C-alpha cells in the first residue's frame, strides 16, 4: 500500500492537473489524474515477476489535452454514440454537438474526459474519488447531474471503478472508462495476439457510421464469436460488413447478464502470461481494437503509438440506447441514483 500525489502539468488556461499513484501489497501500481478522471498507467507484474505498464497514456496533461483518442478517460454524460446528435426525453427534444458524421460521440468536445475533476485521495482505503457537478444543459443534457467516480486498487490486483450520480431532472447517465490496454506493455506492438473471451451471444448490429440499427446480431458463425477464447487478430481481417463498418472491432457486445456483477471478459497476453478479467454490472461492452490510433500519438516515455496497439473494453448501456425501445434505457430518473461498477482484475 502507499500513495503519492504529484503535479501533472498545466492546461493552456493555467489550471493545474495532478497525478495520484496508488500501490498495493503485490507491487502493482496505478496512476490516475484529475484531468478526465483518467487512468494514466497500471504497472502489473508478470509470471516471472517482470513489471510492465499495461495502459496507453501520455506524459502529462498537455499531451492529453492535445491528442484525441480518449486514452484512459472517463466518458460522460453519455459514452459512445447518439444518432443524429439529438434525442428526446418526456417529449422535449435536446440537441448535442455533432462531432462524428452528424452524430454525437462520447458527449462531444465538453465531455467529462476534458474537465478537471475535484479529487479526494484516501491512503487508508487506497482510493481516489473524483467528483463533478455537471450543470443543467451541459453538453445538451437536461438536469443538474452530480457524479462521483471512485478508483480503488485492491490487494487482489483489481482496479475497481465505481460510478455514482444523481440528477434533478430526467436525463441520460451512461459513463464508461476508455482505457486502452496492452498486457505485454503499452509500447510493445499490436494486441492482435492477445487471446480474448467475451461472454456475449450477440452484438448490436451497427451501420456504416457505427450507429446501431436496433437489431441484435447473433455472434454464432461470425468473427464476433469470442465465447471460446481466440486471438483478437484471428478473424479481424475477415470479409465481413460489420468489421468493415468499424475498421476492425468497434462494436457493442450484448453481454449475457441479468445486470448483476459478473465476469464478462478475459484477455490473456501470450508472451508475458499477463491476464486481465473484466467484471461489471453493465449490459453492454464496446470492444474497440484501436483501429484509429494515429502514428502522431506519442505516448509515455516518448513511445509512438500505432493502430491496434491497444484494446478497449468499455462497459456501458448499448450505444444509442435512447433511440431503441428494445435496448435497456439509459435514462436516469430525477432523484434516483445512477450506480454502476466495473473491475479490471490482473493476474
Ligand atoms: C469508439 C471508436 C472511437 C474511439 C476513440 C471508441 O469508443 O467506439 O469508434 O474511434 O472510441 O474515439
Amino acid at each position: 500500500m502507499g500513495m503519492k500525489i504529484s503535479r501533472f502539468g498545466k492546461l493552456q488556461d493555467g489550471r493545474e492537473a495532478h497525478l495520484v499513484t496508488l500501490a498495493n501489497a503485490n507491487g502493482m501500481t496505478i496512476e490516475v489524474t484529475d484531468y478526465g478522471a483518467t487512468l494514466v498507467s497500471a504497472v502489473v507484474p508478470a509470471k516471472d515477476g517482470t513489471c510492465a505498464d499495461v495502459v496507453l497514456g501520455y506524459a502529462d496533461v498537455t499531451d492529453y489535452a492535445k491528442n484525441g483518442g480518449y486514452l484512459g478517460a472517463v466518458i460522460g454524460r453519455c459514452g459512445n454514440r447518439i444518432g443524429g446528435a439529438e434525442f428526446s426525453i418526456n417529449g422535449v427534444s435536446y440537441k448535442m454537438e455533432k462531432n462524428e458524421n452528424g452524430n454525437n460521440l462520447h458527449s462531444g468536445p465538453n465531455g467529462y474526459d476534458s474537465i478537471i475533476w475535484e479529487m479526494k485521495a484516501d491512503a487508508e482505503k487506497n482510493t481516489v474519488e473524483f467528483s463533478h457537478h455537471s450543470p443543467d444543459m451541459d453538453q445538451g443534457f437536461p438536469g443538474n447531474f452530480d457524479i462521483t467516480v471512485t478508483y480503488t486498487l485492491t490487494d487482489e490486483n483489481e482496479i475497481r471503478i465505481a460510478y455514482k450520480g444523481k440528477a434533478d431532472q430526467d436525463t441520460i447517465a451512461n459513463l464508461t472508462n476508455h482505457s486502452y490496454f496492452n498486457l505485454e506493455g503499452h509500447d510493445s506492438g499490436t494486441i492482435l495476439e492477445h487471446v480474448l473471451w467475451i461472454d456475449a451471444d450477440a452484438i448490436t448490429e451497427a451501420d456504416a457510421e457505427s450507429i446501431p440499427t436496433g437489431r441484435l446480431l447473433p455472434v454464432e458463425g461470425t468473427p464476433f464469436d469470442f465465447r471460446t477464447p481466440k486471438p483478437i487478430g484471428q478473424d479481424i481481417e475477415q470479409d465481413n460488413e460489420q468489421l468493415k463498418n468499424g475498421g476492425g472491432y468497434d462494436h457493442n457486445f450484448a453481454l449475457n447478464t441479468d445486470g448483476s456483477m459478473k465476469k464478462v471478459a478475459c484477455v490473456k497476453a501470450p508472451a508475458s502470461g499477463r491476464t486481465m478479467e473484466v467484471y461489471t454490472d453493465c449490459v453492454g461492452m464496446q470492444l474497440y481494437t484501436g483501429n484509429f490510433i494515429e502514428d502522431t500519438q506519442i505516448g509515455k516515455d516518448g513511445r509512438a503509438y500505432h493502430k491496434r496497439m491497444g484494446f478497449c473494453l468499455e462497459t456501458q448501456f448499448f450505444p444509442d440506447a435512447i433511440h431503441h425501445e428494445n435496448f435497456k434505457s439509459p435514462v436516469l430518473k430525477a432523484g434516483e441514483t445512477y450506480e454502476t461498477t466495473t473491475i479490471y482484475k490482473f493476474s
Side-chain angles (χ1 to χ4, degrees):
M1 304 285 251
M3 173 177 288
K4 195 179 95 192
I5 303 183
S6 51
R7 294 187 168 163
F8 199 48
K10 275 186 188 166
L11 290 171
Q12 256 182 349
D13 62 12
R15 278 177 308 149
E16 203 168 337
H18 303 87
L19 190 70
V20 184
T21 311
L22 301 179
N24 75 3
N26 315 315
M28 177 174 165
T29 63
I30 64 168
E31 290 173 313
V32 289
T33 173
D34 47 6
Y35 180 76
T38 299
L39 179 65
V40 173
S41 73
V43 176
V44 180
K47 281 189 292 221
D48 62 358
T50 351
C51 285
D53 181 356
V54 300
V55 167
L56 277 65
Y58 298 113
D60 67 14
V61 73
T62 47
D63 282 352
Y64 277 96
K66 190 171 73 196
N67 286 289
Y70 305 90
L71 272 59
V74 164
I75 312 286
R77 232 177 255 197
C78 185
N80 218 314
R81 293 171 175 85
I82 295 183
E86 50 180 275
F87 60 91
S88 30
I89 294 181
N90 303 330
V92 182
S93 71
Y94 299 94
K95 283 193 181 3
M96 301 185 70
E97 194 90 19
K98 295 182 174 171
N99 63 336
E100 191 191 67
N101 303 315
N103 305 309
N104 180 272
L105 172 68
H106 296 329
S107 303
N110 303 312
Y112 297 164
D113 55 286
S114 60
I115 58 165
I116 296 205
W117 295 64
E118 294 286 318
M119 185 178 90
K120 208 164 75 191
D122 185 328
E124 205 113 295
K125 296 193 195 136
N126 228 16
T127 61
V128 184
E129 180 188 287
F130 295 107
S131 52
H132 180 61
H133 172 79
S134 172
D136 183 25
M137 295 312 289
D138 191 14
Q139 311 151 353
F141 293 108
N144 291 291
F145 181 49
D146 288 290
I147 176 79
T148 62
V149 179
T150 307
Y151 284 86
T152 306
L153 175 63
T154 73
D155 283 336
E156 284 72 52
N157 287 0
E158 299 165 328
I159 304 173
R160 285 176 166 259
I161 311 177
Y163 306 81
K164 195 169 181 179
K166 226 175 217 187
D168 61 359
Q169 290 181 47
D170 294 0
T171 191
I172 295 179
N174 181 28
L175 280 74
T176 191
N177 178 277
H178 206 293
S179 289
Y180 293 67
F181 297 99
N182 185 324
L183 302 179
E184 308 288 22
H186 75 107
D187 54 354
S188 59
T190 75
I191 43 74
L192 297 172
E193 309 278 297
H194 283 54
V195 175
L196 172 64
W197 169 79
I198 301 178
D199 191 9
D201 293 337
I203 59 164
T204 46
E205 183 188 56
D207 70 11
E209 294 176 349
S210 291
I211 301 294
T213 61
R215 276 190 295 270
L216 289 179
L217 214 67
V219 296
E220 180 78 44
T222 77
F224 295 89
D225 195 347
F226 285 97
R227 293 171 303 176
T228 304
K230 67 174 179 184
I232 292 175
Q234 182 177 298
D235 299 324
I236 202 168
E237 300 299 347
Q238 264 194 30
D239 186 16
N240 171 282
E241 197 195 342
Q242 286 300 305
L243 284 176
K244 278 190 201 134
N245 288 348
Y249 294 106
D250 191 0
H251 294 79
N252 171 63
F253 285 72
L255 300 169
N256 296 333
T257 180
D258 57 4
S260 59
M261 197 68 186
K262 71 183 282 260
K263 181 157 94 175
V264 296
C266 180
V267 197
K268 279 196 178 122
S272 61
R274 277 192 203 86
T275 299
M276 183 181 90
E277 294 172 329
V278 183
Y279 296 77
T280 191
D281 50 19
C282 290
V283 292
M285 184 176 69
Q286 185 91 0
L287 165 64
Y288 171 55
T289 46
N291 312 317
F292 306 115
I293 298 177
E294 291 173 33
D295 299 343
T296 50
Q297 288 178 243
I298 308 297
K300 291 173 283 193
D301 315 321
R303 308 309 280 265
Y305 292 148
H306 307 288
K307 183 174 168 177
R308 305 215 169 121
M309 271 181 73
F311 65 87
C312 304
L313 293 169
E314 307 155 48
T315 53
Q316 51 193 225
F317 285 99
F318 294 179
D320 203 26
I322 190 73
H323 290 132
H324 297 282
E325 283 193 349
N326 57 329
F327 293 177
K328 188 174 178 189
S329 171
V331 172
L332 172 68
K333 294 274 181 204
E336 291 186 359
T337 303
Y338 168 75
E339 200 164 8
T340 173
T341 300
T342 292
I343 299 171
Y344 298 105
K345 179 174 183 176
F346 298 87
S347 53

